Amino acid sequence: MRKLWILTWKSVRLAFRDRGAVVMMLILPLVLTLIIAAAFGGGRASLSDIPVLVVNYDDGSFGEALIQALVDTAPLLAVTPTADEAAARAQVDTGEAAALVIIPAGLSEHIFPFATMVRENLGLDLYTASGDALEALPPEQQQLLGQLYYQAQTAPPSPVTVEIYGGREWPISVATVRGIVRGILERMHMTVQGVTAVMGTLIQAQVAAGQKPQVGPPPGAVTATSLPIHVTVVVPRGRAFSWLDYSAVSMALFSLMFTIAAGGRALLEEDERGTLPRLLVTPTSAPIIIIGEMGGIALTGLLQMVFLWAATTILIDAWWGPPLGVAPALVGLVLCATGMGALITAWSRTPRQAGAIGMAISLIGAAFSGSFFPRSYLPAWMRHLSLITPNAWGIELFSHLQSGATFIELLPWLGGMAGITALYFIVALVGFRRRFA
Amino acid sequence: MKLWTLVRNTFLREFDSATSLLFFAILPLAFTLAVGAGMRPMMDVSEAPRETPIPVEVITEDAGTLSTAFVATLHEMGLRPHTVLTTTDEAFVLEIPPDFSARLEAGAEVTVTLHAPPMEQKTQVVEQAIKAACGRVGGAVLIARMGVDQATNAGLTSTEASRRQFFHTVLAETLASAEHPSAIVEVRWSPGRTDLPSGAAQSSAGQMVTWVQITLLSVAVIFVEERAHGTLQRLLITPTRWATILGGKLLAHLLLGLTQMAVLIVGGELLFRIGWGRSPLAVAFVSTAFALAMLSMGLALAPLVKTRGQASSMTLGLALAMAALGGAWWPLEITPPLYRQVAHLLPTAWVMDAYVAILAREAPLSAVLPQIGVLVGFASLFATIGVGLAGRLRG
């Protein structure tokens, strides 16, 4: 047992004495996690200050209202009204602005055609007219008003197009602007249609009650802040998805695989330098030496993961899951990764080959398992195929821990990881036997 | 001749085993595939209806008109609502209060609750869709309420039944009007390729930047290794000038980096149809300027590290960190303004700006001259530092 511990501790000391290894094990994953946290605002994608230009050709009030509603979305959009469409298009062409919203002439007429008809036929501005002004209209004009209302309802103009001139370098921002403009136009349209419906229903009710039809002032407008239905999002347990939590784990796993691969290479270097054969002639069996060396690699990986768990939790409030679940999961995961490291070491001919294959597997495993973006974004075939790597099992296991899964719910993932770990070690054992026969 | 021998030796060393090819081309292309696939959902901004609407379980005991209208609107917003009695933690659950319709009719506010599965990445999409439905139905409710007030003031709706009738008439007409919008939104894209750049395009440019950085910064590893093994000192006692040795090694790595870029561009074009060939001159100048910047950085780093292990870790760590920060792993447009400003202190952000412009709008050479200028500036700065410190490499 003492021999085992000496061999294990020797590997750990060697790993942590190497400044380059410390950078890869502890500094790099922490830096990458911090970069990801900064990029995604700590949790969710954080679009903001999207540069948007607006040209307004509408001479009614809806064009101005649209601009104001866009301005009110700050800080998401940084809106700049402009009169020079050609210059604005040029700014989008060069990528300086994400999009140009072109409010067409006649937008107000299309949204509220009744108002235009009333202005043209009666010289009355419905946007500003008071109830008294409408009531003061002579009977023949009241009748004309009714006819115009009927006409506006039965023959609405074809929809007008608000163009968004989108910059090709800003596809995600343009899609966001499109959604916002569409929402504002829908609220405007529904306000007008609703007001028109109110007026029509009022007139009908007045006629039915034997009263003289009278049109009162428009009842008001719908704004995004005045809506009576609200949404709250709750997560029953654990935490809602956060890039920060996800990346803290995935980047730690990414670097764990490098550590394990480097450990395997170091073992083969000992073989090449002759220190391993010298050990083998001492009264120490080969299995003890191999277990001791691999134990050192596993302990190094475990210390690395514990450091990253503590550092990301303390420094950036990342959540890996409940500590009682995280601790055994880390042990299981490090064993799984060590199994992969043992497999590579056992079947590589030279340290250089072990290093290259180890790094290749670490990188490929990270990319195909979803270390750099949410795993659910990957195609199903890639998600399934990646389950041959420790990275995929680790990400799945910790995602479940972060989501507050119970022990029973974790069992399939723990079982699967135990199975693949056993497989790695069995194949590695065959390789070691062949190597040290 | 000596220069050519140094270049040849570097290439022979670089490709002395099959694993070299793995890092030179196969892994970068595999990364392009994986990262491109992962980015697809983020970069897909087409207006095509979602192929598979997201299922949402609805719990409600309210069978009123407003509740029914609200659930129907969820369909139009790309969700697939279905009423259930019991739920699990694995699904999106929308809880509509039993007095939803009654409260809205009475002029009160209501809150619907979306129970999102933990760590579910589509939560934001579902939340936005529900908010859109709230906007449509809530807006109609607001208008109908205002109408009722107006009718009541005019003495036309004196009873509760008549007020309700008035409310529902206006509500139905307002909701129906949403199907015939008076204004539509159309996106027209600035001039460029016919299709929008995909996740694969961002991934191809980003992965090329990541991997070529590793290759070019590795010039530091080569110098450290040669110093450690004494081969550099041995070369120096031959009748070969230090400048020739330094120049030969740098030229060899520059050619190596440019060859890798060419391989990845051709590979990306053949495998993923990225569209690199649309502004070849711009691609060539941007790539060369970036390669020079990275090579100079590698030269500047070489005298600062002592061992091969330190040099390897530093180059790999720097390459990954600069790639992540500079927009090679995700588009800079989705990051906060401060992040974008900090990112532009690095060559990677400038080269990604240029590549995105080339791939997105087929920017010609003249359009990416500012980025090329900045990259050449970085190259000059690092080269000055590197040449100043190069004496240390001689040992």
Side-chain angles (χ1 to χ4, degrees), chain A residues 124-169:
Chain A
L124 197 67
D125 187 355
L126 272 186
Y127 297 112
T128 54
S130 65
D132 294 341
L134 292 169
E135 283 174 24
L137 287 174
E140 63 275 14
Q141 288 197 351
Q142 289 269 5
Q143 195 180 355
L144 181 60
L145 200 64
Q147 285 169 358
L148 292 173
Y149 169 77
Y150 179 75
Q151 202 179 326
Q153 285 302 98
T154 50
S158 56
V160 68
T161 302
V162 174
E163 180 187 341
I164 294 176
Y165 186 62
R168 287 178 178 270
E169 287 149 272

Side-chain angles (χ1 to χ4, degrees), chain A residues 20 93 160 162-166 168-169 173 178 182 186 189-190 217 228 230 232 234 352 364 376 403, chain B residues 16 27 31 47 109-110 112 114 116 118-119 121 136 150 177 182 184 186 188 190-191 193 313 333 360-361:
Chain A
D93 288 344
V160 68
V162 174
E163 180 187 341
I164 294 176
Y165 186 62
R168 287 178 178 270
E169 287 149 272
S173 303
R178 179 181 66 201
R182 194 171 276 166
E186 183 176 278
H189 169 75
M190 286 183 60
H230 309 283
T232 56
V234 294
R352 196 176 164 202
I364 283 280
S376 67
S403 68
Chain B
D16 64 347
L27 275 180
F31 257 69
E47 291 197 83
E109 300 201 342
V110 289
V112 294
L114 173 66
M119 295 299 285
Q121 293 137 23
R136 184 177 290 184
Q150 213 173 4
S177 74
S182 48
I184 55 173
E186 198 172 298
R188 293 198 179 97
S190 55
R193 51 195 289 175
S313 303
E333 74 160 305
R361 58 182 162 94

